[in-house]
Amino acid sequence: MSDSKTAVAKKAKPASVAKVTVINSAAGTVSRARLRKRHVYLIFSFFLFVAAPTAAAIYYLTQIAEDQYSSRVSFSIRSEEAANPLDALAGLGQLSNGTSSDASILNEYLRSQKLVEDVMEEIDLRVLYVKPEFDPVFAFDAEKPIEDLVKYFERMNYVTFDAGNGLLDVESFAFSAQDAQTIATAIMNASSGLVERLSRIAQEDTTRYAKFELEAARDRLKEARDALSDLRAKELVIDPRADLESQMGVLTALSNQLATALIDYDLLLSTTSEGDPRLAAGKRRIEAISRRIEEERDNLGQESLSSITGDFEELMADREFAEQAYLAAQVTYDSALAEARRKSKYLAAHIPPTLAQSSQYPNKPLWTLGVFGACLLIWSVLMLTAYAMLDRR
């Protein structure tokens, strides 16, 4: 009897079927776990949404994607202006004027379309960025417009800016080490050109007002000299004051001669009789000198000579004042030029464009991990959403 029961038990337990049991805590019974259709869908979706994209990314990164090389250049703006220790004390109570620094302007320039255009004048970026024959992710399509080239250029050139000390660092990527160095050099040259333009504009702003004043003073001096020359040509005199002084000298000499003649006449009158012919000669001499004095006084009192002398003195005063103003403007302009030269700016590269010896990009493990993580996240969200919808049905 016991042998028959043992045979029945062995017959009820096939050797080819593995037993997987679970405990139903609610019913207190044990049931078999079976591979259901949703489990098959879950595994299939994992391979479809996670494993396949990750494998495709690994194949692309290892077999298709071209190696990228980097070149780094770091620079800053320097000025020849000497620092005054008193400037720090003078600026303690002042607020910022709100203007951007030259380094901030250069930082904006390095992220603009103008930089791409300036670099394109030196090298052809489209030729350098389309070298991979088939690389839809990292290579650039030469048929795309300048706006797409600017976006691609920003992706292939990483710019960092330290606002504290004004240092700018640029790391350029390309599909060969020489191309990366060439692009970094072109960026540095374009930045240097911008700094030179900013320096020239600052110098022109510094000297513009001084130059305007100098030109105005020069024109004023020229007008004063021309007016004086016109007066001399019109009146046929070099210096009316000299003519006036000459006439005054003649009048003074005649006055002295008249005084001498009067004294001689009085002396002769006291020593001789009235019929002496010398008295008549002395009297005629006195009369002649007196008439001459009257004529000279009439000449001095003429309105034309007084007017000419007055106009001449006015023009001479204008010329002297214009000469002094011109000399002062010339000194101011020379000082402005010296100040502008002292404030000249230039680009100083403390790290010149480097030449890579090996490719470091793209970072294949990082890209693979990123693709896997993103696909896994998307797959997890989709599966959780699907199971939540099935559980609510």
Side-chain angles (χ1 to χ4, degrees), residues 22-308:
V22 295
I23 299 176
N24 191 337
S25 58
T29 60
V30 178
S31 61
R32 295 179 182 273
R34 293 178 300 174
L35 186 62
R36 299 183 179 181
K37 185 183 297 185
R38 61 180 181 178
H39 297 157
V40 176
Y41 291 157
L42 183 65
I43 297 174
F44 176 76
S45 63
F46 178 83
F47 280 101
L48 180 63
F49 289 101
V50 180
T54 303
I58 294 174
Y59 176 79
Y60 177 81
L61 292 172
T62 56
Q63 303 297 325
I64 299 178
E66 291 287 338
D67 292 335
Q68 297 180 22
Y69 299 82
S70 68
S71 178
R72 181 189 173 196
V73 59
S74 186
F75 46 78
S76 61
I77 300 177
R78 290 291 179 263
S79 175
E80 294 180 357
E81 180 179 3
N84 187 355
L86 297 179
D87 292 343
L89 298 178
L92 289 177
Q94 298 178 356
L95 297 176
S96 173
N97 56 8
T99 58
S100 301
S101 64
D102 294 331
S104 299
I105 295 175
L106 183 57
N107 179 43
E108 293 297 325
Y109 171 75
L110 290 174
R111 306 171 190 274
S112 67
Q113 178 176 330
K114 185 64 172 62
L115 172 66
V116 179
E117 295 173 351
D118 293 341
V119 171
M120 287 284 287
E121 294 180 358
E122 183 175 349
I123 58 176
D124 193 350
L125 292 175
R126 297 179 184 273
V127 174
L128 299 183
Y129 286 148
V130 299
K131 282 189 174 181
E133 296 181 357
F134 177 73
D135 193 348
V137 176
F138 297 106
F140 179 73
D141 186 2
E143 301 298 329
K144 291 184 178 180
I146 184 66
E147 290 77 11
D148 293 332
L149 179 59
V150 171
K151 295 179 181 179
Y152 184 82
F153 186 82
E154 292 178 355
R155 192 180 73 182
M156 297 293 285
N157 295 273
Y158 184 71
V159 180
T160 57
F161 173 53
D162 189 349
N165 49 26
L167 295 179
L168 284 153
D169 188 271
V170 180
E171 188 174 9
S172 300
F173 301 92
F175 299 104
S176 70
Q178 187 62 44
D179 290 346
Q181 188 183 44
T182 300
I183 295 173
T185 302
I187 293 175
M188 186 181 68
N189 293 338
S191 301
S192 179
L194 174 65
V195 173
E196 291 178 359
R197 291 194 297 271
L198 292 176
S199 179
R200 184 170 58 255
I201 291 173
Q203 292 176 1
E204 291 175 354
D205 291 341
T206 303
T207 59
R208 182 181 295 112
Y209 180 75
K211 186 176 181 180
F212 173 78
E213 291 294 329
L214 178 62
E215 292 176 352
R218 184 186 295 112
D219 294 339
R220 184 175 182 179
L221 178 59
K222 184 178 182 300
E223 292 176 358
R225 288 176 175 175
D226 292 342
L228 188 59
S229 299
D230 293 340
L231 178 64
R232 286 170 173 171
K234 179 181 178 181
E235 302 298 338
L236 300 177
V237 292
I238 301 300
D239 191 349
R241 295 177 301 180
D243 295 342
L244 184 61
E245 290 176 359
S246 177
Q247 292 182 3
M248 288 297 297
V250 172
L251 184 61
T252 302
L254 290 174
S255 298
N256 292 333
Q257 292 180 10
L258 179 60
T260 302
L262 289 173
I263 293 173
D264 293 340
Y265 180 79
D266 290 342
L267 291 174
L268 187 60
L269 184 62
S270 63
T271 57
T272 61
S273 60
E274 294 182 0
D276 191 339
R278 289 180 297 176
L279 291 176
K283 189 173 182 181
R284 288 194 300 270
R285 185 170 181 270
I286 291 172
E287 291 176 354
I289 294 174
S290 298
R291 286 194 303 269
R292 191 61 182 171
I293 290 175
E294 291 296 331
E295 292 176 0
E296 291 297 332
R297 286 178 177 175
D298 290 341
N299 292 332
L300 289 175
Q302 287 181 359
E303 183 178 357
S304 59
L305 183 60
S306 301
S307 177
I308 293 172

Side-chain angles (χ1 to χ4, degrees), residues 206-207 210 327-342:
T206 303
T207 59
L327 292 176
Q330 184 67 51
V331 172
T332 303
Y333 181 70
D334 293 340
S335 301
L337 285 179
E339 182 70 13
R341 295 189 189 99
R342 191 170 65 90

Side-chain angles (χ1 to χ4, degrees), residues 374-388:
C375 294
L376 181 62
L377 179 61
I378 295 174
W379 175 77
S380 301
V381 172
L382 292 176
M383 292 302 100
L384 290 175
T385 304
Y387 272 90

